[in-house]
Amino acid sequence: MDDPFDARKVMFSDREYPLANRRTVSLITALRVALLREGVSTSAEAHDQATYLRQITHELTNRGMDGATLVRYGLGPELAAAVVGQAMPYWLPTLRVLPGPASEHDPDPEPAPPWPHPQTWEDVLGPLLEAENGLTPNLDVSQANIEQVVGAIMNAVYPWALSAPLDDLLVLKPPSIEQLQAARLEPRPETVVLEQYRWIINRFAETHLSDWSTTSLHHEHRWRSGNCPAPCPEALMNDREVIDHELNAEIARRAVNVESSREPAGGPTGLNRTMLAKLGMSALDLLRIGRTSEAAALFEFALHGSPDDAELLNNLGFCLIPDDPRNALNKLEEAARRNYEHGAINLYNRALCKMLLGDLKACLDMITAAWPLGEGKRASLWRPGPHGLKLRETVDTQHELARLAHRAASALGDENAAERWAGIIQLQP
């Protein structure tokens, strides 16, 4: 049986080949990944990356797509989300947080780092961020503040992305204030044109149909039924197979759950999911510097837009572990019920919550019942110690599970179990 389609695996397996020999899936996925995560540095490395991405757009044009227009029209959500991801760290250190008890997990905010493009992004976006209040212990207020910041940045950036020079887009070079204002007066392409280009991005660079925009699902269904043309040369469509019953099931799910599939008014199709992924990255950055409550607030905001997302539920639970293990356990258990894909990570987090809540036997029993779990995963995990929880990067989740089981068995006074888990720890590399 063939492995399920995975756009990133295709990209990684193709990267040793010349661009002309790579799959279309690989080329478009590389464009999307780079623009969403890495397109903001002014270093020589970024210049090399821009050259590489420009070569990809040329190769796509050679295959019958307009590569430059694909970036502008199809990757609008990624470009807007990338700017939001850059702006969030500079807004967050100015947070207005209401007084509360001190915590070793919430140190004083660090000074904001310098902007990637001094006196340019700061001049353009600084006033937008300074005008908004930050996160507070009042969750409803925090959600409204985050939404205002995201909306303000997106409304400023998206019109610029539709008309900016390609080289500027590839490195996210900020425009002048005059250019940003002028872009808002430019006529926008017809909605159906933007939808066609987003369909290309979804079809070739999004692994799961659940991550496609609703309009892309509908266009795909019409094309397969012979009721509309393909968004690119027909021969290229064969590079990725879409299963009929999976497509129909996702369309039906969206039809039943109308609220959860609604696109933002006036924004690019696909913005919601792309933006939520980028905010999740910002939350993890906050977590690494100990700002657990602020990271949790960002994941809470993300869940407002995607309440059934197992990864967001797991990550929110992870943020809550140090301060509210009971609530964390509820989120983690919900993520498990929704089939969160990294089972060993979720199990560790749930077992740790049981330990923190004083139920050492449940902690030990959970790990024992699931052992062994197969190949270990790299992860960031909370490790208990004499001075509380510390965030640790581990290359093997299984090893951390064994350590946790040994700790629980020792605290219970179960010598046989403690000896067994000690032996497992020693056997592991």
Side-chain angles (χ1 to χ4, degrees):
M1 181 177 179
D2 293 336
D3 290 334
F5 172 78
D6 186 317
R8 288 174 181 258
K9 284 186 178 179
V10 173
M11 177 186 70
F12 288 130
S13 66
D14 264 9
R15 59 186 172 182
E16 301 301 323
Y17 299 115
L19 292 179
N21 295 340
R22 296 186 195 180
R23 289 175 56 178
T24 302
V25 164
S26 174
L27 296 177
I28 296 179
T29 302
L31 265 182
R32 181 175 186 270
V33 168
L35 291 177
L36 184 59
R37 295 173 180 262
E38 304 165 358
V40 293
S41 174
T42 56
S43 65
E45 181 179 345
H47 180 270
D48 292 342
Q49 175 179 280
T51 300
Y52 168 65
L53 295 179
R54 198 160 45 245
Q55 291 170 348
I56 290 178
T57 64
H58 291 163
E59 176 59 31
L60 290 171
T61 300
N62 292 338
R63 298 186 187 191
M65 299 180 186
D66 184 338
T69 304
L70 181 65
V71 172
R72 287 196 189 88
Y73 292 1
L75 287 164
E78 282 71 18
L79 292 164
V83 174
V84 169
Q86 286 297 305
M88 271 291 172
Y90 308 99
W91 174 67
L92 289 168
T94 67
L95 298 180
R96 178 175 60 82
V97 181
L98 299 182
S103 167
E104 67 174 323
H105 304 295
D106 291 306
D108 292 336
E110 296 182 358
W115 286 78
H117 298 273
Q119 300 179 3
T120 313
W121 276 121
E122 184 173 10
D123 289 341
V124 173
L125 296 180
L128 292 176
L129 303 183
E130 291 169 4
E132 306 297 346
N133 290 320
L135 306 183
T136 79
N138 184 323
L139 182 60
D140 290 336
V141 174
S142 294
Q143 301 305 315
N145 290 345
I146 297 170
E147 187 169 2
Q148 285 178 329
V149 168
V150 171
I153 296 173
M154 187 273 287
N155 289 334
V157 170
Y158 183 57
W160 164 78
L162 292 175
S163 58
L166 178 63
D167 287 350
D168 289 358
L169 295 178
L170 295 180
V171 295
L172 284 185
K173 179 183 176 182
S176 67
I177 294 177
E178 292 75 20
Q179 289 172 326
L180 201 66
Q181 292 172 339
R184 301 186 71 167
L185 302 177
E186 292 286 333
R188 292 195 183 187
E190 293 183 8
T191 299
V192 67
V193 174
L194 297 174
E195 289 176 356
Q196 291 284 314
Y197 279 99
R198 190 61 189 175
W199 178 18
I200 294 174
I201 299 299
N202 286 161
R203 198 177 203 285
F204 292 97
E206 289 280 15
T207 297
H208 305 292
L209 292 176
S210 59
D211 292 327
W212 287 27
S213 68
T214 301
T215 56
S216 293
L217 294 171
H218 292 175
H219 285 307
E220 179 76 19
H221 189 276
R222 295 188 188 102
W223 171 69
R224 297 169 77 83
S225 303
N227 294 323
C228 79
C232 62
E234 288 274 353
L236 297 181
M237 299 291 277
N238 295 327
D239 195 40
R240 191 255 172 98
E241 181 184 10
V242 175
I243 308 301
D244 276 333
H245 71 84
E246 294 178 356
L247 175 67
N248 293 336
E250 181 60 23
I251 291 174
R253 187 188 72 80
R254 303 274 183 103
V256 172
N257 300 292
V258 176
E259 290 299 322
S260 65
S261 63
R262 187 167 291 165
E263 300 286 354
T269 58
L271 178 68
N272 275 349
R273 292 182 179 276
T274 306
M275 196 67 74
L276 295 181
K278 195 65 182 178
L279 287 177
M281 297 175 201
S282 296
L284 292 176
D285 289 339
L286 285 169
L287 205 59
R288 292 187 182 100
I289 60 173
R291 298 169 69 177
T292 54
S293 61
E294 293 156 15
L298 284 185
F299 279 120
E300 286 275 13
F301 174 76
L303 277 167
H304 274 271
S306 189
D308 299 330
D309 191 302
E311 184 171 2
L312 291 176
L313 283 163
N314 181 83
N315 290 346
L316 174 58
F318 181 69
C319 294
L320 294 171
I321 287 174
D323 303 315
D324 190 355
R326 191 172 302 280
N327 190 18
L329 181 60
N330 291 335
K331 302 297 183 186
L332 294 164
E333 288 176 340
E334 180 64 20
R337 286 192 291 272
R338 295 189 180 279
N339 300 314
Y340 175 61
E341 62 178 326
H342 303 300
I345 295 173
N346 182 266
L347 173 63
Y348 178 92
N349 290 334
R350 288 187 287 121
L352 177 59
C353 286
K354 291 288 188 181
M355 175 179 285
L356 296 175
L357 292 170
D359 196 344
L360 294 169
K361 186 176 186 304
C363 171
L364 179 61
D365 289 348
M366 289 169 62
I367 300 173
T368 302
W371 195 268
L373 289 92
E375 184 180 355
K377 299 277 186 187
R378 181 181 296 273
S380 298
L381 299 172
W382 296 111
R383 180 186 288 180
H387 303 293
L389 300 179
K390 297 294 182 183
L391 192 61
R392 302 292 187 203
E393 302 290 332
T394 178
V395 297
D396 190 344
T397 309
Q398 272 216 136
H399 182 74
E400 293 300 315
L401 278 164
R403 286 174 56 93
L404 193 64
H406 178 262
R407 187 181 184 88
S410 299
L412 285 167
D414 187 335
E415 295 181 1
N416 290 335
E419 184 177 350
R420 177 200 172 206
W421 287 106
I424 291 174
I425 293 169
Q426 291 175 359
L427 287 173
Q428 292 180 327

